Amino acid sequence: MKPYDLPDAQGHFGPYGGVFVAETLVHALEQLRAAYEECRGDPQFQNELQSELTHYVGRPSPIYHARRWSQELGGAQIYLKREDLNHTGAHKINNTVGQALLARRMGKRRVIAETGAGQHGVAAATVAARYAMQCVVYMGSEDMGRQAANVYRMRLLGAEVVPVESGSRTLKDALNEALRDWVTRVEDTFYIIGTVAGPHPYPMMVRDFNSVVGRECLQQMPQIAGRQPDHVIACVGGGSNAMGIFYDYIGLEQVQLIGVEAAGHGLASGQHAASLQCGRPGVLHGNRTYLLQDEHGQIQATHSVSAGLDYPGVGPEHAWLKDTGRAQYVGATDAEALQAFHDCCRIEGIIPALESSHALAYASRLAPTLAKDRIVLVNLSGRGDKDLHIVSQAGGLEFFCRPSCREASLAHFGKR
Ligand SMILES: *Cc1c(COP(=O)(O)O)cnc(C)c1O
């Protein structure tokens, strides 16, 4: 189901998106666009993609009714789309499998990727191993220190991890470095971007590869819940898991789409990653979108307890969905996400990613305000095993799991 004909031929979602890159990349992007267009309509490519998603990724992922949590909250029924059960533990593999198959189709034997928390790097290294391609991952040296386990995973999978020492030595600097690599080696190299950002056709292509998530939900919800949800909620970093579950629901106007950004220490603190709520339109990493920038257009430092949401921009399609009002964007703070993380562990027996915990936090704030027959579907974008060291440093069990803390949390979220 195609809800609208966006982006246009130049990659625009209204005033957002487009192609803002060095001259040398214009041709490479045009080549990529043409190759993708061909694969998109090629049943053989789509069949191979589907087969890989079934046998390698483990799709379809189930939808699970979080009955106990819904009961405790005393309102709407919460359902979880279990992207955490995919191979490598998150939604990112949906996109890297698609782009790797496209790279192979284009005859490129070398793939590069940027990574912040390391999750996209691991997903890219995984498919490079699977399809016998050389893989180079650019990662800020600051992030390499914070995410040592993922660096080791990528190396186990045969990837070369290159530390980036420029700027704040984090994700945005790694992205710049990957673009620089691509400029010098476009003939044999395919750049696998990890979210719905970057120059056209990436936002469209990454959305399409992740839209398998919403497509499955459309089929699964009537079977498990008897009907489609009233609300669909997903966290938003660059926005790929959110676009993935939103896309097929855009045409169902009765379904409310809600993206949850990282509010960090609170939107008023200035220490957050809420580009759509607090940013202004500008150009970064090849496209026009909402950015966190100061009055001189300098990109601002971001903060989130969740490394995967810690990005000063957002995909251009979300900028469009925000302006048109089709989707609504809200925030969840570090503390709210951590509380939801612990609640999900103890009430449902599922350890969620800290990114996904932002969506869970908003769902647990919304559910008690709705009638018991309302349905909230949350994209559980990944599993939380990768976050245990961060959670334990944040106070973990001592702080979030005291009995009194439960009451404090209920009061905080305004429940009952
Ligand atoms: C990377 C990541 C995100 C954030 O990226 P999006 O492109 O916004 O989806 C969210 N959840 C998990 C589990 C991730 O690994």
Side-chain angles (χ1 to χ4, degrees), residues 32 36 45 49-50 52-53 56-57 59 83 86-88 90-104 111-115 119-128 131 133 190-199 201-213 215 238-244 381:
L32 174 63
Y36 175 60
F45 180 89
L49 175 60
Q50 192 48 57
E52 289 297 278
L53 291 177
Y56 191 62
V57 175
R59 304 208 69 89
E83 290 299 292
N86 293 339
H87 178 43
T88 71
H91 67 289
K92 288 198 170 75
I93 191 87
N94 301 322
N95 168 52
T96 56
V97 163
Q99 289 197 47
L101 289 178
L102 183 56
R104 202 171 63 173
V111 298
I112 59 171
E114 83 296 334
T115 198
Q119 292 304 105
H120 174 56
V122 168
T126 299
V127 295
Y131 304 114
M133 296 187 278
F190 188 103
Y191 180 14
I192 302 185
I193 291 186
T195 190
V196 286
Y202 283 103
M204 171 180 78
M205 192 166 71
V206 178
R207 172 199 72 193
D208 291 350
F209 287 139
N210 268 304
S211 66
V212 62
V213 177
R215 202 155 57 243
S240 66
N241 87 88
M243 271 325 303
S381 54

Side-chain angles (χ1 to χ4, degrees), residues 12 19 38 86 136 147 157 170 236 262 285 292 297 309 322 334:
H12 295 118
V19 180
E38 203 182 295
N86 293 339
V136 177
Q147 303 289 338
L157 294 161
T170 58
V236 177
H285 298 140
L292 289 170
L309 300 183
K322 175 194 160 77
D334 288 357

Side-chain angles (χ1 to χ4, degrees), residues 380-397:
L380 187 59
S381 54
R383 64 174 183 235
D385 307 59
K386 67 185 179 58
D387 294 319
L388 300 187
H389 62 295
I390 296 164
V391 171
S392 70
Q393 278 163 22
L397 298 172

